[in-house]
Amino acid sequence: MAKPRLILWLLLIVGALALVGQAVPLYTDWLWFQEVGYAGVFVTILSLRGWLFIGVGLGTFLFLYLNLTLAARTARPDALWELEDQLGLPSRAVLEPLIRRLLLPVLAVVSFFSGVSASGNWETVLEYFNATPFDTTDPLFNRDLSFYVFTLPFWRLLYGWAMLLLTATMGLGLALYVLQRSLVLTARGPRLAAGARAHLLLLGTALLGFKAWGFWLDRFDLLFSPRGVVFGASYSDVNASLPVLGILAALALLCAAACLFQVWRPGWRFLAAGLVVLAAMWVGGLGAYPALLQRFRVTPNELVAEGPYIIHNIRMTRKAFGLERIEEKDFPAEENLTAAALERNNPTIKNIRLWDHRPLLVTFGQLQEIRTYYKFTDVDNDRYLIGGEYRQIMLSPRELSYRHLPSRIWINEHLTYTHGYGVIVGPVNRISPEGLPEFFVKDIPPVSTGFPKITRPEIYYGEISNDYVFVRTKSQELDYPAGDQNVYTRYAGRGGIPVTSFLTKLAFAIRFGEIKIVLSDDLTGESRIMIHREVAKRVRQIAPFLRFDRDPYLVITDDGRLVWMIDGYTVSDRYPYSQPVRDLGNYIRNSVKATVDAYHGTVTFYLADPADPIIRTYARAFPGLFKPLGDMPADLQRHIRYPEDLFSIQAKMFATYHMEDPQVFYNKEDLWAIPRRTVEGRDREMEPYYTIMRLPGEKKEEFILLTLFNPSRRDNMIAWLAARTDPPNYGRLVVYNFPKAKLVYGPRQIDARIDQDPNFSQQLSLWNQRGSVTLRGSLLAIPIDQSLIYVQPLYLAASEQGALPELRRVFVAYGNQIAMEPTLEQSLQRIFGGRARVEDGPRPAPAAGPPAVGDALRGVAQRAWEAWSRAQEALRRGDWSAYGEEQRRLEQALREFRERSGR
């Protein structure tokens, strides 16, 4: 008697602790959702999960209780059977009281976990009841795609719940019948009470009926079959598996009927015969028959058999990833680029990025972190109108790193050090005389030069944070360091949850496991607690049904505020015939642009793709969550970017799915690949990059995202893809195809040519041997008019840890020519002559300049002077090979000077 009561009390205690453990996060999350203004989202999700928990949990309990109670009361065994029992179980007099006491607690536990499991599927239920049509049908069943994305997963969920419940009921019922001797194994064979037999047959009828429904649903899953030459239903799936599944559904229904028939007819003959036929058809029809059809009908002439399904796969994949919107144009890759053409494209040249993210982060850290607890974690590319010019800039926020605090006591981590401070902004191509980046915005407090003043530099919400901080407390809150003194502040924003009551303090103390929250005297009636301060987690907490980009970026508004922007995606793995991408699915849209104010923490979601059916479904489920993109402030709209994550996925898919002819696709005759380069000793795919340039045929420069393509297993270039980012062309994708009969050097080939040049390799080897390390930056392909140039920066850093990378050379490659000079301007002059206007800021200056000459001869004189200067440098270091080469170049320049001057 004591043991069952003890178990019951233990279950009650565990349940109470679990309830408290859930209640505290729910209460604090409710307070947070009220703070950010999305309490309606919280209520909708919580109420749906609650109804699922109650409905499924209560339904499970009632179904199990009724069945097991019925089993215990109606299936009375023959008293003599217990004497013949071969299992040696305790007598019914011992077991039945124990069963009665444990039945309710066991069922309660099973029902509780069933409800918890069901509540986790709230998204599937929400999508089903708010589904919107795609207005596109699948090619096999001619159903709207919303059926596969929204309806079929819900039906699958119901089917899984039903099968699990029926299987569990049958298993528990069998166990109960064995314990109370309604099912006994005797020397003469098993004996089953009539009531138990009828009950189990009725459960079997329901189980087989639902299995028939499962076979019918399996027909639709053929559209996601991976067995054919492409993803989706193949020839064997359509001509073998599809009819067999229809037959299996009919056979399962006949077996269910036979099971029901056997309730009133003794014996098992009809049911056993039906199950044997069902099992044989299941194994043979779905295993052997499709395999034989594939081998003897499809394989000998696979292209003809699979051709229609390859067409389906190409069409649906292109639609699912937005590839059908890509416009194709020819790019001749001419080699007639001149200095005059560079002059016409001066804004493009001025915005070529010379600073790579990795060395730039190190340089930023050395020059601008100011204190050890400030860190730059990322560098973002964006564009601003500066001095009337459209400029590409590099921007990095100065965030607070809690693990680098000088003293990590509770007051410091949660009351004193609450926020980062300021940003650094610099042009992508300007270099100081020391080879370091120049800044438009720098220092603490931020000092702007030719850039809008930052009026609100505090970063309470960023890419790195701790669990929580308190603001408006009695403790001094550090604003920023000023020399050997600190400047303190008091938060005046709208962010944070008021902690005005003891209950609120207690709730957060339990949530974070910190008793100091309750005991601290620094908290007042005005104090606020800030949680979910990391940008990506903050937006994901509000909209968990969206997938968010891995790289939020910071925007400086016209009035000097800092606002984070992050792209949100709708994804699905239920788009028929579409080729899936690992860890993503087979459908994606950039449907949402979200913003987070770095000071106030205000979160706003904007609808970027209202045509997407998935986002329209969520907009219907959560009224008021999404605002029209037109409501976004103009100073933020100017900084919307085409997301790099989406672009990378589309580029990888387009490398295969630009082939629309089924025969070409089947033979992989024109397969492309993203170029690969060796970076820091590892072979990696080239990342897409942002740049400002004028696309061929366009009248002005624009901010674009660009990537390159090679033919598969070859290193030459075959095409480049651009995503246009500026309005009114935002979102338009254009691929420029190179002539297939012409060799256009690819990135790996350019790298190899640089490595093989004796002058370049000798210079790099000398630098690497003198206590320095050379770092090769990103290799950028820059289309100019109908030609292509490559640009790669070269950085030099001391070999010791923490050294400052300096930009010392710039490689420029064009056709068969490669130049390596101290600046981009000089490298372009070496190849094209003339004077390309690249920078409008300081440049590394030589010790002296060439004599003044006429404009027509200035470029030749400049090259001669540079060759002489390099020759003298080679002479000083004893490098006779380089000295001879520079003397040869000097001689060529002087001859050209004489010919042009007529002397």
Side-chain angles (χ1 to χ4, degrees), residues 235-237 239-240 288-300:
Y235 182 92
S236 298
D237 292 319
N239 293 279
Y289 178 42
L292 292 172
L293 187 67
Q294 180 71 27
R295 181 174 181 180
F296 295 106
R297 172 64 183 86
V298 177
T299 303

Side-chain angles (χ1 to χ4, degrees), residues 370-529:
I370 312 297
R371 292 288 189 271
T372 57
Y373 46 79
Y374 287 131
K375 295 297 173 186
F376 297 105
T377 60
D378 189 24
V379 178
D380 297 316
N381 274 76
D382 206 345
R383 71 284 197 200
Y384 287 79
L385 198 64
I386 301 174
E389 289 188 277
Y390 201 43
R391 300 295 300 270
Q392 185 180 2
I393 60 95
M394 310 283 277
L395 185 152
S396 187
R398 186 184 291 104
E399 298 204 55
L400 186 67
S401 175
Y402 286 90
R403 62 191 184 92
H404 292 95
L405 287 177
S407 175
R408 297 191 62 182
I409 61 175
W410 185 80
I411 290 179
N412 280 350
E413 286 199 42
H414 301 288
L415 276 70
T416 303
Y417 295 90
T418 58
H419 58 277
Y421 199 88
V423 298
I424 50 177
V425 181
V428 295
N429 69 325
R430 285 173 57 171
I431 313 162
S432 73
E434 296 79 20
L436 299 175
E438 292 194 355
F439 300 108
F440 289 142
V441 180
K442 63 179 181 179
D443 296 340
I444 297 178
V447 177
S448 298
T449 305
F451 197 84
K453 181 181 179 182
I454 297 177
T455 58
R456 184 57 77 184
E458 300 91 341
I459 302 175
Y460 284 86
Y461 302 88
E463 292 187 84
I464 56 175
S465 70
N466 61 356
D467 290 335
Y468 64 95
V469 294
F470 287 95
V471 294
R472 300 183 188 174
T473 65
K474 295 179 182 178
S475 177
Q476 287 186 312
E477 182 185 341
L478 175 70
D479 198 20
Y480 60 88
D484 57 354
Q485 301 293 322
N486 288 331
V487 176
Y488 296 95
T489 187
R490 182 176 177 83
Y491 180 70
R494 299 185 297 270
I497 304 166
V499 284
T500 55
S501 68
F502 176 78
L503 177 63
T504 305
K505 293 180 184 179
L506 180 61
F508 282 108
I510 295 173
R511 173 167 181 153
F512 295 113
E514 182 53 74
I515 191 63
K516 293 186 180 71
I517 295 176
V518 176
L519 301 179
S520 175
D521 293 330
D522 289 315
L523 302 185
T524 70
E526 296 181 0
S527 298
R528 291 170 173 257
I529 183 172

Side-chain angles (χ1 to χ4, degrees), residues 127-155:
E127 290 174 354
Y128 174 77
F129 285 106
N130 295 279
T132 55
F134 276 69
D135 296 324
T136 301
T137 58
D138 75 276
L140 187 58
F141 299 103
N142 202 34
R143 286 178 174 266
D144 188 271
L145 299 188
S146 62
F147 171 78
Y148 301 97
V149 177
F150 304 127
T151 305
L152 187 58
F154 179 72
W155 287 0

